[in-house]
Amino acid sequence: MKFKNKVVVVTGASRGIGQSVCVAFAKEGATVVGVARSALAETDDKVKAAGGTFVANSADLGMGTQKESADVIAQILAKTGQIDVLVNNAGIIRRAPAKDFSEADWNAVIATNLNAPFFLMQAVGKWWIETGRTKAPETARLKLVNIASLLSFQGGITVPAYAASKHGIAGVTKALSNEWAKERINVNAIAPGYIATENTKALREDPVRNKAILDRIPEGRWGAAEDIAGGCVFLASGDSDYLNGAVLNIDGGWMGR
Ligand code: NDP
């Protein structure tokens, strides 16, 4: 019960990796705040079944503006009074050859995957620093965890905006950790490998890409959303207090190959 009396905010909590992350924190006794556009009832049920408390906070992070993100954090703080962990997981992908890639798709991906996570971290970090929490006991820390990607390191195929956004979030992770380690804020990221969720449905349904991907993964299988959750719990726990600006690959061995 490492997260008893802790409030963990998870964006993109309605399904996939985000939902599994919510359940993993629930097993550790957390109050989990789930953010997404669509219904959060399924996540609510799973969190409660795992022993946690769930707070739904419906919001659309797709504009990626500073105000939108600050409003979401303010709404959550009004409900819970505190935030101990933020997992920036919500993300979208749009596929098209670079020469045809639309401005609308480019802007949507950058806004959701890069702008919103930065402004959410800015709002939580500002609250943490300005309410004097940096002077609380050493055990009280703010943990910020970004869900990056293997495309934080590689270019991918016909996903230029996604690769740009994920390279960007890896950079922001390092930038904020440089500035905020002294404030007792840990900023780290996870780069998931190929995980079987809605996000990768098109790849799994393409026999050529599916085989090429599986052939390169030493573990020989697609990852499950649950494979990512344990890393999030580690990066949010006291076990990682001396870890800052890291991007942890959880990828069945893909990057080592
Ligand atoms: P899913 O498509 O299954 O889930 C995405 C989540 O993000 C949903 O809960 C969705 O909720 C939420 N979301 C999307 N847009 C918005 C928005 N505008 N406002 C609020 N919430 C939003 O994807 P995954 O679980 O696979 O992906 C989760 C994260 O992991 C993403 O950042 C993705 O890039 C990253 N990732 C995934 C990999 C994979 O192989 N699956 C590999 C590497 C990284 P809703 O639609 O209800 O709003």
Side-chain angles (χ1 to χ4, degrees), residues 31-62:
T31 294
V32 180
V33 183
V35 181
R37 293 165 301 182
S38 56
L40 286 156
E42 187 182 280
T43 307
D44 188 338
D45 289 346
K46 289 187 175 182
V47 163
K48 284 183 183 141
T53 303
F54 189 73
V55 178
N57 200 93
S58 295
D60 184 351
L61 302 169

Side-chain angles (χ1 to χ4, degrees), residues 100-188:
D100 302 324
F101 209 86
S102 73
E103 185 178 356
D105 279 352
W106 179 273
N107 289 337
V109 172
I110 299 293
T112 308
N113 295 8
L114 181 57
N115 297 356
F118 171 70
F119 287 125
L120 289 168
M121 287 193 286
Q122 182 187 54
V124 189
K126 189 173 160 67
W127 162 78
W128 177 265
I129 293 164
E130 292 185 353
T131 56
R133 282 173 164 75
T134 54
K135 296 182 190 70
E138 166 62 19
T139 48
R141 282 178 166 257
L142 176 61
K143 300 276 182 164
L144 306 178
V145 181
N146 294 312
I147 303 300
S149 168
L150 297 180
L151 300 197
S152 298
F153 313 106
Q154 302 179 315
I157 299 170
T158 65
V159 286
Y162 187 83
S165 71
K166 294 299 184 177
H167 274 70
I169 198 66
V172 168
T173 299
K174 293 167 199 165
L176 293 192
S177 79
N178 291 342
E179 203 175 319
W180 285 350
K182 68 176 186 308
E183 311 285 4
R184 287 190 292 99
I185 302 175
N186 293 80
V187 192
N188 291 292

Side-chain angles (χ1 to χ4, degrees), residues 12-18 36-38 59-62 89-92 112 147-149 162 166 192-195 197-200:
S14 58
R15 58 177 187 270
I17 293 171
R37 293 165 301 182
S38 56
D60 184 351
L61 302 169
N89 164 79
I92 58 171
T112 308
I147 303 300
S149 168
Y162 187 83
K166 294 299 184 177
Y194 285 82
I195 311 299
T197 66
E198 192 67 31
N199 175 296
T200 52

Side-chain angles (χ1 to χ4, degrees), residues 5 13 21 24 32 37 52 81 83-84 104 113 122 179 206 214 221 230:
N5 301 322
V21 169
V32 180
R37 293 165 301 182
I83 294 175
D84 301 284
N113 295 8
Q122 182 187 54
E179 203 175 319
D206 176 339
L214 278 177
R221 65 168 175 91

Side-chain angles (χ1 to χ4, degrees), residues 45-94:
D45 289 346
K46 289 187 175 182
V47 163
K48 284 183 183 141
T53 303
F54 189 73
V55 178
N57 200 93
S58 295
D60 184 351
L61 302 169
M63 297 299 289
T65 63
Q66 189 176 38
K67 179 175 186 320
E68 180 186 69
S69 302
D71 285 351
V72 169
I73 295 303
Q75 282 160 15
I76 294 169
L77 285 170
K79 289 176 191 169
T80 63
Q82 71 187 72
I83 294 175
D84 301 284
V85 180
L86 168 66
V87 181
N88 269 320
N89 164 79
I92 58 171
I93 193 162
R94 300 278 165 84

